[in-house]
Amino acid sequence: MRVNFLMHRTSMNKRFPEYKGLDLAKVNKDILKLWDENDAFRKSVRDLDGKGEFVFYEGPPSANGIPGIHHVMARTIKDAICRYKTQCGYEVKRKAGWDTHGLPIELGVEKALGITKEDIGTKISIIDFNKACKKDVMKYTDQWEDLTRMMGYWVNMDHPYITYDNRYIETLWWLLKQLHSKGVLYKDYTIQPYSPAAGSGLSSHELNLPGCYRDVKDTTCVALFKVVRDARSEFLFRHTDTNDVHIMAWTTTPWTLPSNTALAVGKEIHYLKVRSFNPYSGEPITAVIAKDLLHSMFPEANVGLHFSEYKPGDKKIPYKVLEEFPGINLEGISYEQLIDWVRPDQGAFKVLTGDFVTTEDGTGIVHIAPTFGADDYKIAKQFGVPPMTLKRKDGSVGPMVDKKGFMVPITDLDDQFVKERVNIQTYTPYAGRPVKNEYDSSIAPDADTLDVDIAVMLKQSGKVFRIEKQVHSYPHCWRTDRPVLYYPLDAWFIRTTAFRERMIELNNTINWKPQSTGTGRFGKWLENLVDWNLSRSRFWGTPLPIWVTEDRKEEKCIGSASELKEEIEKSIKVGFMKKNPLEKFIPGDNSQENYEKFDLHRPFVDEIILVSQSGRKMFREPDLIDVWFDSGAMPYAQAHYPFENRENFAGMFPADFIAEGVDQTRGWFFTLHAIAVMISDSVAFRNIISNGLVLDRNGNKMSKRLGNAVDPFSTIEEHGSDPVRWYMLTNSQPWDNLKFDAAGIDEVKRKFFGTLYNTYSFFALYANIDNFRFAERDILVNMRPEIDRWIISLLNSLVKEVGECYENYDLTRAGRAIQDFVTENLSNWYVRLNRKRYWGGEYDQDKIAAYQTLFQCLETVSRLAAPIAPFYMDQLFLDLNATTGRHTDESVHLAVFPEYDPDLIDKDLEERMDIAQKISSMILGLRRKVSIKVRQPLAKIMIPLPDKNFRTKFEAVKDLVMAEVNVKEVEYIDDTSSILVKKIKPNFKTLGPRYGKLMKDLGNAIQVLTQAEITSFETSGKHLLMLNGQHVELTREDVEIISEDIPGWQVANDGRLTVALDVTVTDELKYEGIAREFVNRIQNIRKESGYDVTDKIRVQIENHKFVREAVKRHAGYIGSQTLATEVTLSDNPGTGSREVEIDEVLVKVHVGRVS
RNA sequence: AGUCCCGUAGCUCAGUUGGUUAGAGCGCUACACUGAUAAUGUAGAGGUCCCCGGUUCAACUCCGGGCGGGACUACCA
C-alpha cells in the first residue's frame, strides 16, 4: 500500500513515499484536501518581490445551465496561465462571476411554469416571474462550484460578481449615462426579426438556434414597374417602339409588393434596355435589367429569333438589346405604383442607388419595401422616400401588415385615412389575409398563399414577367415553428459605429491567440460594425435607466442609485409619486445590506415616475438592455466602479489576459472591447486565447439531444483532472477544434503520467535504500559524468523553452516539450542507461551525482508542469521536497517558476548524445538483423568518420554506447579509406539558384559519379562537369558525401552516420554471454521467489559441460550482479533447484536466500 | 450567402525563409529485452500531403479556383 503521504509530512519518517500504483483520481482528491487544509489558493494570491498584479477577467458563465466538458477546456487554459503567472510572482486575483440575466433564463422559467411571454403580467405578475428567474438562475451553482473545484480551477468564488446585484446594475447605469451624455445612446425605429405567432421580437441569438433557418418553397416573381415618362427618363424611351418602359425587379416575398415605395439599382452596375414580349400576355414590352443577368430572363439561345415570327403563347421569346447604361443614370427616375391599394406619402416610387445591390441573382434591381426590410428601411430613409404606412383607428401609424401577420383589415383603419388613401375596391379582397398561411391555423396548409394570389393578379394585369416557386432558406421562430417576419419596431441603440475606427485601431494592439481570430473574424466584424441594438422587450434583466416625457421632448438618463433617489424626491414634491422606494438607501454606503433595501429590476422601476425640467411627468422606457452589455461591462461593474475602487481602478483595468471559446468573438469579446473603447478609450484585454469547440470523437458537435455529450464530472472522477487537462491542451492547439476521445486521456495517462510516475518510483525505491536525502552538498555540475551534464543541459534548455512558451501563451507547445523531455530523454534514455548506477555498489560521488541529477530533473519538471497538471505535480513536488527540504513551500503552486542557467546548456554535448542515441539504435537494429541477443557481448564496431570532429565527439559518449549495445571496442575508419563505399548527393540549396533549369540533369549527373570520381572530388575539393554544353564546377559545399557501405560487414546508415558491426562470436565472448544469461535467469528466480531487492543469496549451478567454463570464469561477475555471496558449480544442485534454458540447453540452478 | 478556421498514415497530430527518403505517438504484425514491469527496444505493413491550375530549376509549403468538414454572421431582392 502506499504510504500515507499526509502522515509522513508531519512525522519524522523521512522517506520518499512509495506508491503501489498510479491512481490519478485519488491524487486529485488527496491534493484537493491538502489545498483546503493549507488554504493554498488564498496563499498563492500574493505579490512576490514587487512583481505587481497580473489582471485576469473571468467571463461569467450562466449558472442556469449544466457545465459541460467544453467548460473544462476553456477553464484549463485560464487556470494554466494564471498559475504560471502566479509562479512567476505576480498577484493574480481571479474574481469569479455569474451571468444572471437574459432570455435563456426567462425561457427556462416560462417552460418550467408552463407559460408564454403573453402570460407574464396577466397569469403571473412580473414580480413573481422575476422572483422565479432570480431563483432559477443559480439553480446549478453547486454543480459549477463542484466542477471548478474538481478540475482544479483556481478562481475566487468567495465574492463573485453577480449581474443582478443592484450594485452591478448601478455601474451599468453609470456606464449608460456616460454614453447618453456623449450622445451615442438613441432610440430608433428599425426592422427586426419578429414572430407574429409569438407576438415578440427575436434576438439574433434566437434566430441562430439550430434548425431555425429552414429551406422553404416560396412563390417568387419578377414584377414590371412602369416608368413615368419625363425629362429624366426620356432616354429610356429612345429607340423603341413601345409606349411604355418597365423596370424588372425580383422578389421572394410578393406580399411585400403592395408596400413597395422604391426601387434600388447599383451605381456602377451596367443595365440594358431590352425589347421583347410579355411571356404571359404576349404584349410587346421594353424592359430594364442588369447586363450580367440578361440571360437569366432572356435565354441566350433566343437571340436569333425574329420578332416577326413571334406569336403570343410561344415558349421561345425573341429579344433585342437596345441600349446599355450605368445604374447612376436611373437614379431619381419615377415609376407608377405597382399595386394601388393604398397611397403613401409624397415622394414615393423613385429609383434609388444602393451599395447592397448585386447582380448575383434576380434582375439587379431591388424592390424596396421600407417597412419589411432592413436595407430597404435604411436606403429609403437615406433618400427621403416614405414607407408604406397605414393609420389605424387608435391613431397609431404602422405598416400594411399588423402584428399578427395579417394585412390590416379595413375595419381597423382610421375612417378619414380610408377615405383619402385607400382604394377600397382593389384592397378589399386582400385585406385581413395572413401574409403567410402559417399565421392562420384555419387555413389549409396547401391553400394558395397571398403571394400566389398577388402574383396571379399581377399576371392578369400584365405587370409580371415571371412567376416561379423557389427554395430558399428562411428563419423560423424556434418556439412557434412559424416563419419569422421582418417588422419595424422601436429600439434603443448605441452608436458603436461612431467608435469603429478607434475600435479597429485598438484591436490591432491586442495579442490574439490565434492571430487570425483577431484580424479575421474579430477584425472583419469591427469593419462591418453596425449600431448596437440594446433593447430587449423582456422582464428579467437590467432595465434601461431612461425616463421620457409623453411627447418625448424631454429625456433623462439616471446614472446611480443616489441620483434616482434625488429625482424621486423631486417627483414626490410635485405630487407625481407618494413614496420613495429608495427611502432607506443611504448614498455612499456600499454595503450589501444598503443595496438590498430596494430593487432596480422591473416592475419596481416601471412604477417610478419622474418630473421633467419643465415639470411634466416622465415615464421609464419599458425596455431592458441586452445581457451582453451586462457581461461586457464586467471590468467596471465587478469593481462597482466608480462608486468604489475609484483610486485603484488603474490596477484592475485593462486585463492582461482573458480566454473563452471562439463563439464569444461577437459576444463577450466584442462587448468588452466596445465598452472599454467607448468609456475609457482603451482595450479591455491585452492578451487573449480563444479556443475552438470540443467535439465528440467523430468530429460531431456534442449535444444532449444526440447523447454524445461527455460528462465532465464522471470523466474527472474516473481519470482525475490532470490527464484530462493535459490531453486537452497537448493533443492539438486549443484554437483548433478538439475531437474529444477518452482513449486519448488513457494514452496521456500511460505515456506521460505513467512514465513520470515510474521515473519517480525508480528514484524513490533506490533513494530510500541508499538513504539519499539530498543531505550532501550539490556536486558541481562540471564534476558530474557526461550523461548527467547532458540531461542537465537538456533540462535547462527545456526550462528556457517552456518558459518562453508560457510567456507566449502557447500552452500546447509547453506541454508537448515537457512530455517529450520526460518520456524520451529522462525516462527512456537517462534512466535506462543509468540504472546500474543506482543499484548496488558504493554510496560514492558518482551515485550521489546520479541521485542529485535525477532529483533535480523530477523536481524541475514538477514546477514546469504544475500550471497544466496542478494535482500530480504538487504531489511530486511535495514528495520530493518533504524528504529533502530543498524547497519549503507548502505547494508547488507557491514555489517559483524555475529559471534556466545558460552556462549549463551545452549544445555540443546535446549533439554528442544525439549521436550516441542514433548509433546505439543502429547497432541494436543490426543485432536484430543477424539475431544476436544484446546479452551476447560482441567484439567491435567500426565507424567511418563523417567529419573531423566526430572522433572527439564520439569518444566522450563511447562508454555509454558500448554499454548500451554490449560491444567491447570501436574502430574509426579514416575518411579516405578505400574499404568504404561512398554515396554522393547534390545539395539543391546551393546548386539550385546557380544552375536553375540545369538542376534536374545536374542532380542526375552527380548521383551517377563513380567511386573513383568521388574519391578524387573529396581529395581535390572540386569537380568539373560538362552538361548540355555548359561547364559546371562543383565544390565541397555543393554535395553531401556519406560512407554508405563497408563490403563484407553488417552496416547501417542514418543520415550522415554509418556504423558497421563485427558479428563474430569467439569462445571468450560466448562465455561472457552465458554468464549474462545466468544473471538474467537468477534475477528472475529471485523475483519469482519473492526475495527483497536487497536480500543476499547463494547460487549453485549444475556442472553442465555447456556452461562449466563460463561459470568458472565469470562466477564473480554473476555474484556481483545478483547479490550472491557465492556462485558454485555442483553436480547435483539439490532440492528446490530449477531448470533454466540457455541457448536451448537445460541447466539446473539452485538459488537460496542467505538468512 | 459572406467571413474565418481546418483538410498530411486506420486514429490523434508535427512539418521550421520552398530543396528531392514527408515525420512522431497510438493501433496492427513479427521479433527481442527485462529487478522502473499496466514499462521498453527493433523491424514491418500503412501516404495521389483533399482536388485542379499557376509561379519556380524545385511546391505538403507560395498564389488562384474548386471540393469536403466546422464555426460565426446573415431578411441582400
Side-chain angles (χ1 to χ4, degrees):
Chain A
M1 258 326 13
R2 58 172 253 169
V3 176
N4 184 327
F5 75 101
L6 292 176
M7 286 282 296
H8 93 254
R9 283 200 186 95
T10 53
S11 74
M12 295 303 289
N13 179 13
K14 286 215 161 187
R15 283 173 63 83
F16 292 101
E18 291 177 44
Y19 303 86
K20 192 131 191 206
L22 178 61
D23 183 351
L24 289 170
K26 187 171 184 343
V27 173
N28 220 76
K29 288 177 188 142
D30 291 341
I31 296 293
L32 273 178
K33 200 169 151 202
L34 191 68
W35 285 346
D36 286 345
E37 285 167 9
N38 291 343
D39 205 8
F41 175 42
R42 203 183 312 274
K43 282 179 189 161
S44 81
V45 182
R46 68 345 178 202
D47 177 0
L48 216 61
D49 312 324
K51 278 276 185 127
E53 203 172 323
F54 179 81
V55 182
F56 166 75
Y57 290 159
E58 163 75 345
S62 180
N64 83 320
I66 297 170
I69 194 79
H70 57 287
H71 293 109
V72 177
M73 178 81 197
R75 297 174 141 225
T76 300
I77 295 169
K78 299 177 191 180
D79 190 55
I81 294 293
C82 288
R83 283 184 194 263
Y84 165 71
K85 289 292 177 181
T86 297
Q87 278 183 276
C88 289
Y90 293 96
E91 182 180 8
V92 191
K93 282 181 180 148
R94 301 167 249 188
K95 189 184 180 86
W98 297 109
D99 192 14
T100 56
H101 285 146
L103 196 64
I105 295 146
E106 290 196 46
L107 296 176
V109 170
E110 281 179 18
K111 202 174 162 190
L113 300 178
I115 57 168
T116 65
K117 188 189 175 192
E118 287 66 41
D119 299 329
I120 303 164
T122 55
K123 282 189 191 164
I124 181 172
S125 71
I126 297 177
I127 295 185
D128 289 340
F129 180 75
N130 275 357
K131 220 180 257 172
C133 286
K134 187 171 179 175
K135 195 176 156 202
D136 190 65
V137 72
M138 296 311 242
K139 189 163 48 179
Y140 299 115
T141 323
D142 291 352
Q143 286 206 36
W144 278 90
E145 285 174 355
D146 277 355
L147 181 71
T148 305
R149 187 182 140 78
M150 275 170 83
M151 68 164 287
Y153 179 37
W154 273 2
V155 63
N156 188 349
M157 291 188 287
D158 294 345
H159 303 287
Y161 63 92
I162 296 170
T163 58
Y164 69 57
D165 189 282
N166 277 337
R167 284 170 293 186
Y168 198 94
I169 293 174
E170 187 177 34
T171 296
L172 299 180
W173 281 18
W174 180 83
L175 292 169
L176 289 167
K177 187 171 175 140
Q178 305 309 302
L179 297 173
H180 188 260
S181 60
K182 285 182 191 191
V184 294
L185 199 55
Y186 68 96
K187 190 173 193 179
D188 201 6
Y189 185 70
T190 60
I191 311 299
Q192 292 163 39
Y194 172 83
S195 168
S200 80
L202 296 173
S203 67
S204 58
H205 159 250
E206 288 170 293
L207 223 48
N208 276 297
L209 288 168
C212 280
Y213 276 84
R214 271 182 234 159
D215 282 341
V216 290
K217 205 177 212 179
D218 274 333
T219 301
T220 71
C221 70
V222 175
L224 294 167
F225 292 84
K226 187 172 163 191
V227 175
V228 172
R229 187 165 187 168
D230 59 16
R232 201 187 283 267
S233 66
E234 190 54 37
F235 75 97
L236 289 174
F237 292 83
R238 289 189 308 226
H239 316 303
T240 186
D241 56 350
T242 59
N243 290 328
D244 301 327
V245 174
H246 290 90
I247 296 174
M248 308 173 95
W250 179 58
T251 180
T252 55
T253 51
W255 62 267
T256 62
L257 286 170
S259 293
N260 169 280
T261 57
L263 292 171
V265 297
K267 267 185 197 171
E268 321 263 305
I269 297 171
H270 276 244
Y271 293 87
L272 301 175
K273 187 168 77 188
V274 181
R275 171 66 171 79
S276 187
F277 296 91
N278 185 315
Y280 300 111
S281 66
E283 293 294 320
I285 56 164
T286 303
V288 174
I289 186 171
K291 189 182 176 186
D292 293 349
L293 290 158
L294 173 71
H295 296 304
S296 66
M297 292 296 149
F298 306 98
E300 205 165 0
N302 297 348
V303 73
L305 299 177
H306 290 288
F307 277 54
S308 54
E309 287 163 16
Y310 172 76
K311 295 186 304 297
D314 282 358
K315 286 272 182 250
K316 291 183 176 174
I317 301 168
Y319 72 91
K320 196 171 143 197
V321 174
L322 301 176
E323 208 172 333
E324 178 178 340
F325 46 85
I328 187 82
N329 292 12
L330 293 166
E331 189 178 298
I333 285 177
S334 298
Y335 61 90
E336 285 181 14
Q337 185 173 18
L338 185 75
I339 297 169
D340 66 346
W341 297 348
V342 180
R343 189 159 47 82
D345 290 346
Q346 285 295 309
F349 313 128
K350 290 243 166 56
V351 178
L352 318 174
T353 53
D355 298 337
F356 60 89
V357 181
T358 67
T359 56
E360 268 159 36
D361 44 27
T363 62
I365 297 150
V366 179
H367 136 66
I368 301 292
T371 47
F372 301 116
D375 281 336
D376 306 42
Y377 177 79
K378 247 184 279 165
I379 193 175
K381 202 173 175 192
Q382 185 191 335
F383 284 87
V385 169
M388 173 63 75
T389 50
L390 282 60
K391 191 171 181 188
R392 269 70 162 175
K393 277 221 162 76
D394 64 4
S396 68
V397 172
M400 194 181 256
V401 175
D402 66 20
K403 286 201 163 184
K404 289 181 185 131
F406 290 70
M407 301 300 286
V408 183
I410 294 177
T411 51
D412 283 2
L413 293 174
D414 177 80
D415 292 337
Q416 186 67 23
F417 181 82
V418 173
K419 208 178 280 174
E420 289 173 6
R421 302 280 191 98
V422 180
N423 183 336
I424 298 175
Q425 197 194 337
T426 50
Y427 183 43
T428 303
Y430 300 96
R433 286 191 57 179
V435 301
K436 301 214 181 253
N437 283 356
E438 289 92 334
Y439 299 151
D440 186 346
S441 48
S442 66
I443 295 181
D446 55 348
D448 278 347
T449 61
L450 182 59
D451 285 338
V452 171
D453 291 345
I454 287 176
V456 169
M457 179 267 283
L458 290 173
K459 183 166 137 186
Q460 284 161 356
S461 52
K463 289 175 176 171
V464 68
F465 186 82
R466 179 178 292 178
I467 300 168
E468 63 186 353
K469 299 248 181 189
Q470 211 168 69
V471 175
H472 65 144
S473 101
Y474 196 84
H476 289 68
C477 170
W478 61 277
R479 209 167 55 193
T480 61
D481 246 13
R482 310 276 165 79
V484 159
L485 211 56
Y486 287 85
Y487 201 83
L489 296 168
D490 270 330
W492 281 87
F493 288 83
I494 299 176
R495 202 180 309 282
T496 38
T497 47
F499 298 90
R500 184 196 287 141
E501 298 311 314
R502 188 64 182 143
M503 284 190 205
I504 292 170
E505 216 170 280
L506 286 168
N507 178 44
N508 292 334
T509 69
I510 297 170
N511 176 29
W512 281 84
K513 288 275 162 181
Q515 208 200 357
S516 61
T517 300
T519 53
R521 190 179 287 208
F522 195 69
K524 290 271 160 50
W525 167 256
L526 292 179
E527 279 166 28
N528 300 314
L529 199 61
V530 294
D531 283 349
W532 183 351
N533 182 345
L534 208 56
S535 287
R536 295 294 180 270
S537 311
R538 299 293 315 192
F539 303 94
W540 176 240
T542 302
L544 199 62
I546 295 173
W547 274 259
V548 293
T549 52
E550 270 183 296
D551 64 0
R552 309 198 67 83
K553 292 252 163 63
E554 294 173 85
E555 197 172 286
K556 201 171 262 178
C557 185
I558 302 295
S560 70
S562 59
E563 185 184 353
L564 183 63
K565 185 176 177 176
E566 280 171 36
E567 292 296 327
I568 294 171
E569 285 305 321
K570 288 187 202 163
S571 182
I572 289 171
K573 257 181 210 154
V574 295
F576 292 164
M577 285 189 74
K578 294 204 173 74
K579 200 170 178 290
N580 193 335
L582 278 75
E583 196 178 6
K584 292 187 179 146
F585 169 73
I586 305 157
D589 174 357
N590 289 310
S591 69
Q592 184 165 344
E593 300 73 52
N594 192 37
Y595 273 84
E596 277 174 356
K597 292 171 182 164
F598 59 97
D599 191 350
L600 294 178
H601 284 96
R602 295 185 71 184
F604 308 105
V605 279
D606 299 337
E607 290 155 7
I608 294 171
I609 299 167
L610 300 181
V611 55
S612 77
Q613 206 76 32
S614 64
R616 289 183 299 158
K617 281 187 176 176
M618 299 181 93
F619 300 93
R620 195 186 74 80
E621 286 290 283
D623 287 341
L624 302 180
I625 63 166
D626 184 3
V627 275
W628 287 109
F629 193 93
D630 285 14
S631 52
M634 81 35 84
Y636 305 90
Q638 71 165 348
H640 194 208
Y641 179 83
F643 308 101
E644 292 176 61
N645 294 303
R646 215 184 174 113
E647 299 72 30
N648 53 358
F649 191 65
M652 310 160 72
F653 177 91
D656 289 301
F657 170 66
I658 63 169
E660 300 290 337
V662 69
D663 51 321
Q664 293 294 331
T665 308
R666 268 88 166 209
W668 195 51
F669 298 161
F670 170 68
T671 56
L672 271 179
H673 187 64
I675 294 172
V677 171
M678 293 190 294
I679 299 293
S680 306
D681 190 40
S682 161
V683 296
F685 44 88
R686 296 195 173 101
N687 301 285
I688 171 165
I689 298 177
S690 74
N691 60 278
L693 298 184
V694 181
L695 308 170
D696 77 1
R697 73 171 127 162
N698 299 316
N700 299 313
K701 206 170 173 177
M702 288 188 188
S703 81
K704 273 178 222 147
R705 196 166 45 82
L706 294 174
N708 62 345
V710 173
D711 174 33
F713 295 96
S714 58
T715 306
I716 292 176
E717 189 73 40
E718 185 188 340
H719 300 99
S721 105
D722 281 338
V724 178
R725 292 170 60 128
W726 197 273
Y727 164 69
M728 286 183 138
L729 290 188
T730 59
N731 184 66
S732 57
Q733 286 287 0
W735 42 85
D736 289 331
N737 290 345
L738 173 68
K739 289 181 196 159
F740 188 90
D741 188 352
I745 301 173
D746 282 327
E747 193 181 321
V748 160
K749 202 156 57 168
R750 232 187 21 248
K751 191 90 193 137
F752 175 63
F753 289 97
T755 307
L756 184 57
Y757 159 81
N758 271 340
T759 307
Y760 167 78
S761 302
F762 173 85
F763 169 82
L765 177 66
Y766 292 106
N768 284 336
I769 291 171
D770 280 324
N771 215 28
F772 171 78
R773 296 294 172 262
F774 220 131
E776 302 80 8
R777 199 179 295 173
D778 285 61
I779 295 174
L780 288 174
V781 171
N782 60 18
M783 302 295 284
R784 301 188 197 183
E786 176 96 349
I787 193 158
D788 288 2
R789 282 186 282 118
W790 168 74
I791 195 75
I792 287 169
S793 172
L794 281 186
L795 181 70
N796 279 278
S797 296
L798 179 74
V799 171
K800 180 168 187 276
E801 187 186 351
V802 172
E804 284 166 359
C805 287
Y806 280 136
E807 278 302 321
N808 199 23
Y809 298 91
D810 193 341
L811 300 166
T812 305
R813 289 182 98 112
R816 284 176 178 170
I818 296 167
Q819 177 163 332
D820 209 50
F821 173 83
V822 169
T823 57
E824 294 306 314
N825 298 317
L826 186 61
S827 166
N828 197 17
W829 189 249
Y830 180 78
V831 173
R832 194 158 57 82
L833 259 60
N834 280 286
R835 276 179 298 187
K836 289 193 171 59
R837 288 169 72 194
Y838 297 90
W839 74 64
E842 294 300 309
Y843 190 68
D844 57 10
Q845 287 297 296
D846 179 67
K847 199 173 203 180
I848 294 167
Y851 281 125
Q852 289 188 348
T853 303
L854 186 50
F855 177 94
Q856 225 173 324
C857 289
L858 287 168
E859 197 270 334
T860 306
V861 164
S862 78
R863 282 184 288 150
L864 288 177
I868 304 177
F871 296 100
Y872 182 73
M873 295 308 156
D874 210 6
Q875 174 173 304
L876 179 59
F877 177 86
L878 292 172
D879 284 347
L880 291 167
N881 286 307
T883 314
T884 60
R886 298 281 290 180
H887 280 85
T888 51
D889 306 285
E890 282 177 306
S891 162
V892 72
H893 306 292
L894 297 169
V896 294
F897 195 79
E899 282 176 18
Y900 70 94
D901 180 351
D903 293 339
L904 295 178
I905 297 176
D906 184 343
K907 288 292 168 196
D908 289 343
L909 175 58
E910 290 180 19
E911 190 202 337
R912 288 200 288 275
M913 201 57 73
D914 187 54
I915 290 170
Q917 285 175 331
K918 281 193 176 133
I919 296 222
S920 301
S921 164
M922 286 191 279
I923 297 169
L924 292 172
L926 288 172
R927 276 181 170 274
R928 136 109 191 114
K929 213 191 261 172
V930 294
S931 299
I932 298 177
K933 292 176 174 179
V934 179
R935 272 200 293 267
Q936 175 59 58
L938 290 173
K940 75 169 177 184
I941 56 170
M942 290 200 291
I943 302 179
L945 296 168
D947 58 62
K948 289 196 182 69
N949 305 322
F950 184 85
R951 188 186 188 121
T952 339
K953 283 184 206 160
F954 191 74
E955 275 299 310
V957 293
K958 184 182 126 190
D959 292 345
L960 288 172
V961 175
M962 298 294 105
E964 175 69 6
V965 301
N966 201 10
V967 172
K968 298 193 175 305
E969 271 177 63
V970 61
E971 183 184 324
Y972 302 99
I973 304 175
D974 196 76
D975 201 24
T976 53
S977 168
S978 56
I979 67 161
L980 294 171
V981 176
K982 306 221 166 161
K983 190 180 178 181
I984 186 161
K985 277 168 35 178
N987 180 354
F988 289 90
K989 226 166 182 166
T990 62
L991 291 169
R994 264 197 280 148
Y995 293 104
K997 283 198 164 66
L998 220 54
M999 201 51 231
K1000 205 165 192 173
D1001 293 334
L1002 179 57
N1004 292 333
I1006 289 172
Q1007 277 170 43
V1008 297
L1009 291 178
T1010 63
Q1011 288 295 315
E1013 282 168 322
I1014 295 173
T1015 310
S1016 97
F1017 190 169
E1018 273 193 296
T1019 36
S1020 68
K1022 246 182 230 181
H1023 191 76
L1024 290 171
L1025 274 174
M1026 245 334 237
L1027 213 60
N1028 299 351
Q1030 200 179 328
H1031 286 282
V1032 174
E1033 185 177 331
L1034 301 174
T1035 64
R1036 263 323 305 258
E1037 289 72 47
D1038 294 332
V1039 292
E1040 196 184 343
I1041 299 172
I1042 60 163
S1043 310
E1044 194 182 34
D1045 197 14
I1046 305 171
W1049 285 68
Q1050 289 297 326
V1051 177
N1053 295 103
D1054 182 4
R1056 297 173 64 231
L1057 295 176
T1058 301
V1059 64
L1061 180 64
D1062 181 350
V1063 295
T1064 321
V1065 179
T1066 61
D1067 282 349
E1068 183 48 41
L1069 290 173
K1070 185 79 202 162
Y1071 298 143
E1072 262 187 66
I1074 290 171
R1076 287 197 175 219
E1077 294 290 342
F1078 272 116
V1079 170
N1080 167 245
R1081 301 304 186 275
I1082 294 164
Q1083 298 286 34
N1084 286 343
I1085 293 170
R1086 284 185 62 118
K1087 205 159 101 184
E1088 283 161 25
S1089 311
Y1091 294 174
D1092 198 78
V1093 189
T1094 50
D1095 286 340
K1096 297 260 196 281
I1097 55 167
R1098 223 177 255 127
V1099 177
Q1100 284 167 292
I1101 297 171
E1102 184 187 353
N1103 192 355
H1104 190 292
K1105 66 172 188 292
F1106 181 72
V1107 300
R1108 185 181 302 140
E1109 195 57 29
V1111 174
K1112 271 188 192 159
R1113 291 188 187 208
H1114 299 292
Y1117 167 78
I1118 296 171
S1120 73
Q1121 290 298 305
T1122 58
L1123 296 190
T1125 51
E1126 53 178 62
V1127 177
T1128 51
L1129 283 164
S1130 157
D1131 290 332
N1132 183 8
T1135 50
S1137 69
R1138 302 178 184 220
E1139 278 200 329
V1140 297
E1141 187 193 311
I1142 291 173
D1143 285 356
E1144 293 172 358
V1145 178
L1146 289 174
V1147 181
K1148 287 196 182 113
V1149 176
H1150 183 271
V1151 175
R1153 187 156 28 180
V1154 179
S1155 46

